[in-house]
Every structure is written in structure tokens, then in C-alpha cells.
């Protein structure tokens, strides 16, 4: 990506039904108000905003007792899978404005289909406090925003939301960074399937820079595409309070920017989710602005671009 101009398409996904609480549907509007489009334009990128996806519940799906609001989440999954694939196939960068994290069932599945069409592997960088590798059989809550990783890896086929023969992501191609809240059964599933997890202890011990270099080297060696899914709760809630599932002890402001700057330098990122922003819980738009600032770092903004006072 570097400083080169990219063609970016914004896709709004006002989905909150996967999370178990209201508010995340306002996320796309808050990110637009915080200036995500103009920020990218100012960095020299071509930006098209196709607006928010408009869906109706998928009535062919069942009411699932352990996958709440499946018909609405399923409809968003289908719409996002199609939209993200179409945007990527047109040579543009899909940037999904969320919305709760269940939207990644659709966005990552769309990128998996695109990667398969290019005969390249898809890798996923999951920046999150939670592993989201539950299924209806293992989830304590039944909230689908805790299931997207298992879904796009093919380990949570609890209804035929998407075709069963679709391309999946190899769990060993998933890198989860910032994890600090995992259910007991979910931990077993992650270990069994070989998901790469760098929890906050790993960040403390190794440093975020070393971890990112390791991940990016793997993706580059495989000539892979990289989908980045940024959950607001990756950050410490003192920095970004506008999220419904706060977990203390998250990434610092500088750690998060370093991740984005290293991703930018790598030139490997092909798509991005911004998820779990709940403006109702935010402090005067603080969290939305931080997500926009992090997006700017991913798209080439540097600290040293700013004028410095001469000594």
C-alpha cells in the first residue's frame, strides 16, 4: 500500500443484531461523521462510498435457539459477501464500516472467494480482545458476533447461510492479536484448529513490532492476501470507550498505530473491517475519531508527515 494511491470503496454495514445489545448500527454513520472518507481523500486515495447495505431478514433461515437473530445476521452475511467480492474483483479496496463483528462472516467470506479466484491464500489479521471462535454448540451467550472466525474457517456451519462449498480460510492462516478474553471451550477449539494467537502477554513479552514482523513475513512468503479486521475493543477501553464488550488491559494508542503503520509499509493488506463501534457508549465521538486515525495510518499517514518546530 505504502503512499501509493488506492481506490477505496466504503461499505456501510449497520448491523447490531449479532451483538446482543443496541447501538452498533450507528457505527457507520459515526465513522462518516468523524471524516473517514475525507481523511482518505486527503491522503490521495480515490474514495467511493456506496452507502449502507439495506437488507430484509432471510426468511429461508431457521430461528436458531443458540444463534440469536440469525435471519438478520444471515441476510447481512450474504449481502456483504457479495458486495465485498464485487468490490475486490473490480480492483478496489473494500473498507467495511460496522456494525458488530458478526459482519466479518460476510466480509471475510467475500475476500476468501476473491482470493480463491486469484489462486492466492487469504490470511486474516484479527485485532480483537476476543477470539470469536465459538459456534452455537459452544457459545455461552448465543450472540453471533462471537462466532465469525469459526464460521469463515468452516467450523460453524449452523445453517446454510452461504453455500457449503464456498472457499474457507485455513485456521492456520488466522492471526489473532490482542486477545484477552476467551471462553474455556473456545480455547480448546482454537488450539485444536491451529489458530495463531498472540494475547496481551505475548505483546508485553515480545513487543508488538516483533509480532507484526513475524505475521507479515508469513503472509509475504505465501504471496497471500491479507484481510484486517479491527475490533474497537482491541484498544484499551480508557482510550476507546465506545464499545459494548470492554475488556481492560488492551493495546495502547501507540501500539495500535504501529500495527497500522507496519501493515501500510508491507503493502499486503487487501481489505479492512472497522467493527464494534457503539456511538451510544462513546465519549463525544472519541472512539470514532480514533478508528479514523488508525485507518489513516493504514493508508499511509505518518507521524513525521506533520510539520515539526525547528530546534
Amino acid at each position: 500500500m505504502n503512499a501509493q494511491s488506492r481506490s477505496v470503496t466504503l461499505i456501510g454495514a449497520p448491523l447490531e443484531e449479532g451483538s446482543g445489545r443496541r447501538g452498533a448500527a450507528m457505527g457507520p454513520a459515526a465513522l462518516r461523521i468523524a471524516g473517514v472518507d475525507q481523511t482518505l481523500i486527503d491522503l490521495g486515495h480515490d474514495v467511493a462510498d456506496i452507502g449502507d447495505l439495506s437488507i430484509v431478514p432471510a426468511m429461508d433461515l431457521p430461528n436458531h435457539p443458540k444463534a440469536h437473530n440469525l435471519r438478520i445476521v444471515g441476510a447481512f452475511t450474504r449481502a456483504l459477501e457479495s458486495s465485498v467480492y464485487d468490490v475486490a474483483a473490480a480492483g478496489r479496496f473494500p473498507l467495511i464500516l460496522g456494525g458488530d463483528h458478526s459482519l466479518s462472516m460476510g466480509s471475510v467470506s467475500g475476500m476468501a472467494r476473491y482470493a480463491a479466484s486469484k489462486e492466492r491464500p487469504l490470511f486474516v489479521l484479527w485485532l480483537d480482545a476476543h477470539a470469536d471462535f465459538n459456534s452455537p454448540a459452544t457459545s455461552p451467550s448465543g450472540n453471533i458476533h462471537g462466532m465469525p472466525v469459526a464460521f469463515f474457517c468452516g467450523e460453524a456451519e449452523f445453517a446454510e447461510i452461504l453455500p457449503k462449498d464456498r472457499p474457507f480460510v485455513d485456521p492456520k492462516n488466522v492471526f489473532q492479536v490482542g486477545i484477552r478474553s476467551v471462553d474455556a471451550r473456545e480455547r480448546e477449539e482454537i488450539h485444536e484448529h491451529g489458530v495463531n494467537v498472540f494475547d496481551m502477554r505475548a505483546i508485553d513479552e515480545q513487543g508488538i513490532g516483533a509480532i507484526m514482523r513475524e505475521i507479515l513475513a508469513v503472509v509475504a512468503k505465501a504471496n497471500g492476501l491479507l484481510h484486517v479486521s479491527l475490533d474497537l475493543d482491541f484498544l484499551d477501553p480508557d482510550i476507546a470507550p465506545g464499545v459494548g464488550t470492554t475488556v481492560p488491559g488492551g493495546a495502547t494508542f501507540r501500539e495500535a498505530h504501529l500495527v497500522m503503520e507496519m501493515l501500510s509499509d508491507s503493502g499486503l493488506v487487501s481489505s479492512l473491517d472497522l467493527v464494534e463501534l457503539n456511538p451510544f457508549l462513546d465519549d463525544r465521538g472519541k472512539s470514532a475519531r480514533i478508528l479514523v486515525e488508525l485507518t489513516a495510518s493504514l493508508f499511509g499517514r505518518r507521524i513525521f508527515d506533520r510539520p515539526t518546530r525547528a530546534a
Side-chain angles (χ1 to χ4, degrees), residues 24-88:
M26 297 186 289
L31 289 165
R32 291 185 177 102
I33 292 167
V36 65
D37 51 351
Q38 192 60 49
T39 297
L40 296 178
I41 291 168
D42 291 345
L43 288 168
H45 302 287
D46 165 45
V47 179
D49 187 347
I50 63 173
D52 290 348
L53 295 175
S54 179
I55 62 98
V56 294
M59 299 309 291
D60 61 302
L61 296 175
N63 281 315
H64 198 298
K66 294 188 176 180
H68 305 321
N69 302 311
L70 175 58
R71 288 174 170 172
I72 294 176
V73 175
F76 267 105
T77 299
R78 290 169 176 173
L80 266 170
E81 193 275 345
S82 177
S83 295
V84 167
Y85 174 81
D86 289 345
V87 168

Side-chain angles (χ1 to χ4, degrees), residues 125-127 175-178 198 203 206-220 226 228 234 255-264 266 268-269 298:
L125 177 61
W126 198 259
L127 301 170
F175 294 90
Q176 301 193 323
V177 178
F198 297 91
I203 292 175
Q206 301 175 40
I208 196 72
I211 289 170
M212 288 303 301
R213 281 191 291 273
E214 178 182 336
I215 293 170
L216 292 170
V218 172
V219 179
L226 181 60
V228 176
F234 170 68
E255 285 171 334
H257 272 287
L258 179 57
V259 169
M260 293 298 159
E261 289 167 7
M262 293 180 73
L263 287 168
S264 177
S266 77
L268 296 170
V269 181
L298 177 61

Side-chain angles (χ1 to χ4, degrees), residues 5-245:
S5 176
R6 294 293 300 264
S7 297
V8 183
T9 296
L10 306 181
I11 306 170
L15 170 62
E16 62 188 11
E17 286 82 2
S19 69
R21 70 183 302 165
R22 307 295 291 272
M26 297 186 289
L31 289 165
R32 291 185 177 102
I33 292 167
V36 65
D37 51 351
Q38 192 60 49
T39 297
L40 296 178
I41 291 168
D42 291 345
L43 288 168
H45 302 287
D46 165 45
V47 179
D49 187 347
I50 63 173
D52 290 348
L53 295 175
S54 179
I55 62 98
V56 294
M59 299 309 291
D60 61 302
L61 296 175
N63 281 315
H64 198 298
K66 294 188 176 180
H68 305 321
N69 302 311
L70 175 58
R71 288 174 170 172
I72 294 176
V73 175
F76 267 105
T77 299
R78 290 169 176 173
L80 266 170
E81 193 275 345
S82 177
S83 295
V84 167
Y85 174 81
D86 289 345
V87 168
R92 300 182 66 88
F93 183 107
L95 200 171
I96 299 89
L97 311 177
D100 72 61
H101 221 156
S102 63
L103 68 81
S104 296
M105 292 164 58
S107 61
V108 177
S109 295
M111 286 307 297
R113 177 154 65 103
Y114 173 70
S117 75
K118 296 297 182 180
E119 298 183 338
R120 298 174 66 184
L122 180 67
F123 291 80
V124 177
L125 177 61
W126 198 259
L127 301 170
D128 199 332
H130 306 87
D132 294 339
F133 206 87
N134 273 307
S135 67
T138 65
S139 171
S141 68
N143 294 327
I144 300 179
H145 74 160
M147 306 179 192
V149 181
F151 178 84
F152 62 66
C153 290
E155 301 300 329
E157 293 294 276
F158 45 94
E160 194 159 350
I161 300 172
L162 295 174
K164 293 184 183 298
D165 60 351
R166 70 186 187 277
F168 295 114
V169 178
D170 185 337
K172 297 180 178 63
N173 288 357
V174 177
F175 294 90
Q176 301 193 323
V177 178
I179 304 300
R180 53 195 188 277
S181 177
V182 183
D183 299 317
R185 176 74 184 279
E186 188 182 23
R187 184 177 291 110
E188 297 173 4
E189 293 285 326
I190 290 166
H191 179 73
E192 177 184 334
H193 290 95
V195 177
N196 303 280
V197 178
F198 297 91
D199 60 9
M200 289 309 299
R201 175 173 174 171
I203 292 175
D204 291 342
E205 290 182 344
Q206 301 175 40
I208 196 72
I211 289 170
M212 288 303 301
R213 281 191 291 273
E214 178 182 336
I215 293 170
L216 292 170
V218 172
V219 179
K221 184 177 180 181
N223 189 32
L225 299 175
L226 181 60
H227 177 91
V228 176
S229 198
L230 173 59
D231 189 313
L232 184 62
D233 70 21
F234 170 68
L235 293 156
D236 192 89
D238 287 345
I239 303 168
V243 65
T245 50

